[in-house]
Amino acid sequence: MKTKDLVLGFKPVLGFILIFGFAFAAETKTAQELSIRSNIIEELLILLGCVFILAAGIGMFRFPDFYTRLHASSKLVTLGGIGIFGGAAFAFVSLAATQRVLLTAVFFLLTSPVAGYMIARAGYLQGLKPYQEDNSVDEWQACGSETETQVN
Amino acid sequence: MVLTIALYCLVFAMILTLYRVLKGPTWGDRITALDFLTSNLAVLVVVIVLKTGYTDLLDIALLFSILGFLSTVALARYLLNRRVIK
């Protein structure tokens, strides 16, 4: 039995699939249509968060100093992440997904400043030098902190 | 449309930060950039959930944020005290 005969033998089945398959495909919804309900508030919040995260990335690339890069990273990522999580919380249909996204947003808001504080404190106490202009003042050193030698 | 713009922005920011991880002159830059990368991955997972509709992946976003915070605090404490737990 040749392959051509095999294909021709299944011709009614193929015709059935061709005619009714599109009808079934039109009936069934995708996963995104079932669980996401997009509206204008969600889209605006997500665009806001994206602008902040893009600014954070450019700041990480271009700023001259460890402390200024830390500033860009910790603050802007917190703000942008909360924007995107809030937008996602508006978009979900089910209540459980909204609760989980809001839990993640609260966790971001609590932990990101703590992480930034830990990195900055460790960097200063290990002696990383800040970028200085003519009239800039190192306040912690003026108060008399004990810094160790430079560790790279 | 908005979600596609969001994905492009996030991936562009991650590429710029990856340059800082590889090049960064001091260890502080590298820790900062790794913290940024893990936070950004959590946000990226939420955008992927919005694009595909599989809401089970939201747990992975929470997991990424917890792991990023714990690893950042552990690295900072190690570099300051030369030990993590006293």
Side-chain angles (χ1 to χ4, degrees):
Chain A
M1 196 173 183
K2 293 177 182 177
T3 54
K4 186 182 173 185
D5 297 336
L6 202 63
V7 170
L8 287 181
F10 281 108
K11 208 172 177 181
V13 181
L14 289 178
F16 182 81
I17 289 175
L18 272 181
I19 292 171
F20 291 102
F22 286 113
F24 289 142
E27 285 296 323
T28 56
K29 289 183 175 179
T30 59
Q32 198 209 2
E33 290 167 352
L34 279 176
S35 62
I36 305 295
R37 176 183 55 205
S38 83
N39 45 18
I40 189 68
I41 303 173
E42 173 234 345
E43 293 182 348
L44 283 180
L45 278 174
I46 286 179
L47 274 183
L48 191 74
C50 284
V51 167
F52 280 119
I53 286 184
L54 191 60
I58 295 171
M60 287 292 290
F61 185 66
R62 280 186 57 89
F63 271 158
D65 183 14
F66 160 62
Y67 299 98
T68 48
R69 281 176 208 137
L70 182 65
H71 165 98
S73 154
S74 63
K75 280 183 181 149
L76 287 181
V77 165
T78 309
L79 200 55
I82 284 173
I84 288 183
F85 291 148
F90 274 104
F92 288 128
V93 173
S94 71
L95 191 61
T98 305
Q99 285 169 351
R100 268 182 287 170
V101 167
L102 287 181
L103 180 68
T104 315
V106 169
F107 193 82
F108 248 61
L109 189 64
L110 287 179
T111 59
S112 181
V114 178
Y117 163 73
M118 291 291 288
I119 301 171
R121 183 169 170 271
Y124 191 87
L125 289 180
Q126 291 284 332
L128 296 181
K129 295 298 176 199
Y131 168 75
Q132 295 223 339
E133 292 180 347
D134 292 336
N135 53 356
S136 58
V137 178
D138 189 355
E139 291 186 357
W140 197 358
Q141 198 178 29
C143 290
S145 78
E146 298 172 357
T147 59
E148 297 176 11
T149 56
Q150 171 95 28
V151 177
N152 274 330
Chain B
M1 183 63 196
V2 175
L3 296 176
T4 312
I5 295 172
L7 282 179
Y8 275 112
C9 286
L10 290 173
V11 171
F12 186 62
M14 285 175 81
I15 288 171
L16 289 181
T17 313
L18 198 63
Y19 168 78
R20 189 52 69 192
V21 172
L22 295 175
K23 175 106 182 341
T26 61
W27 52 265
D29 297 315
R30 294 200 173 95
I31 297 177
T32 310
L34 284 174
D35 184 33
F36 182 87
L37 277 183
T38 47
S39 306
N40 219 340
L41 266 179
V43 177
L44 193 69
V45 169
V46 172
V47 177
I48 288 172
V49 167
L50 282 177
K51 204 170 171 57
T52 60
Y54 297 118
T55 54
D56 299 334
L57 299 180
L58 285 176
D59 296 333
I60 299 178
L62 189 57
L63 184 74
F64 267 127
S65 58
I66 292 172
L67 272 182
F69 171 65
L70 283 183
S71 61
T72 306
V73 170
L75 269 173
R77 275 188 72 87
Y78 173 71
L79 286 166
L80 190 58
N81 300 329
R82 295 293 155 188
R83 66 178 81 88
V84 178
I85 300 170
K86 288 196 174 182

